[in-house]
Amino acid sequence: MSTELPESAVPPPTGAGESAPAPTRRTFIATSTAVGGAVVASGVIGGSLLAAPEEVAAAEAPPSSHVSLTVNGTRRTVTVDNRTSLLDLLREHLGLTGSKKGCNAGACGACTVLVDGRRVNACLTLAVRLEGAEVTTIEGLAEGDRLHPLQQAFIDEDAFQCGYCTPGQIVSGVGCIQEGHTGSPEEIREWMSGNICRCGCYVKIVRAVEQTAARK
């Protein structure tokens, strides 16, 4: 079988006196792309187009802010990612691990702390919004070696088993007492309903809050 091209498919020879045919649009685009890519590559390899390391770091770093707040009576100033929750600020930046990360969605109450005397879920509260605020955690309730009355009541009433929810329960109970929502066991249950105890110690928890409120 012959492999010769038909005469019509063979391009005519270019004579010495003839000029080269003009480049087609496709040839021009392909050549321009190849040359441009080579120039860019050589620039990157040579370092002329590389950003400085500090510029790269600045571009990749998340936005952060300074925040000053009083935690358990001590003024603290920290720099945090703007997305940092109060719970992560307390646990990861300040080492106050008493407030627990349970659901991390504001449903269990294990992270309850007091902000300016008001009960909040620390996992849902942005730290950068608390400039100048006063925060009280479970670590700040006792006075030296003297437990807060509600902490002592939890011990006296055996109001916990695993203890994971206990810090949030106690802080929430303190808030409940300060708010005056302790007129009856039913009222305490209603105003403490945001704190879940998977061990089912609700009866003893209510009793501890009720007795502490009565002694106040």
Side-chain angles (χ1 to χ4, degrees):
M1 180 178 179
S2 174
T3 57
E4 294 182 2
L5 293 174
E7 185 176 346
S8 60
V10 179
T14 302
E18 297 180 7
S19 59
T24 64
R25 180 172 178 274
R26 179 177 299 176
T27 304
F28 176 77
I29 293 175
T31 304
S32 300
T33 302
V35 172
V39 172
V40 171
S42 63
V44 172
I45 294 173
S48 60
L49 298 182
L50 290 177
E54 57 272 14
E55 294 177 351
V56 174
E60 295 178 349
S64 60
S65 300
H66 296 287
V67 58
S68 295
L69 64 167
T70 301
V71 181
N72 298 331
T74 302
R75 190 72 171 176
R76 310 294 292 265
T77 300
V78 294
T79 301
V80 294
D81 182 329
N82 289 347
R83 300 164 294 181
T84 302
S85 68
L86 173 58
L87 180 60
D88 285 338
L89 169 65
L90 294 171
R91 292 180 58 85
E92 307 298 333
H93 293 263
L94 303 182
L96 298 172
T97 57
S99 304
K100 303 305 181 188
K101 181 177 284 191
C103 66
N104 205 34
C108 71
C111 66
T112 304
V113 298
L114 300 177
V115 175
D116 295 330
R118 182 173 56 90
R119 292 180 285 175
V120 302
N121 291 318
C123 70
L124 296 183
T125 305
L126 285 175
V128 294
R129 299 186 63 185
L130 299 180
E131 178 66 31
E134 185 170 341
V135 179
T136 302
T137 70
I138 186 68
E139 292 92 343
L141 294 180
E143 296 180 3
D145 294 333
R146 182 183 178 186
L147 295 177
H148 185 281
L150 186 54
Q151 289 176 307
Q152 187 61 54
F154 263 65
I155 295 173
D156 296 340
E157 295 297 329
D158 195 22
F160 51 87
Q161 286 188 34
C162 77
Y164 195 85
C165 76
T166 303
Q169 295 278 4
I170 292 176
V171 174
S172 184
V174 170
C176 186
I177 294 170
Q178 292 176 350
E179 295 160 13
H181 298 303
T182 56
S184 66
E186 291 73 24
E187 185 178 13
I188 293 172
R189 290 192 189 97
E190 175 67 24
W191 288 92
M192 292 281 291
S193 61
N195 293 78
I196 296 174
C197 173
R198 297 197 180 279
C199 299
C201 297
Y202 296 112
V203 173
K204 296 180 179 180
I205 290 171
V206 171
R207 189 180 302 153
V209 173
E210 187 178 28
Q211 291 183 1
T212 303
R215 299 191 193 106
K216 186 178 179 182

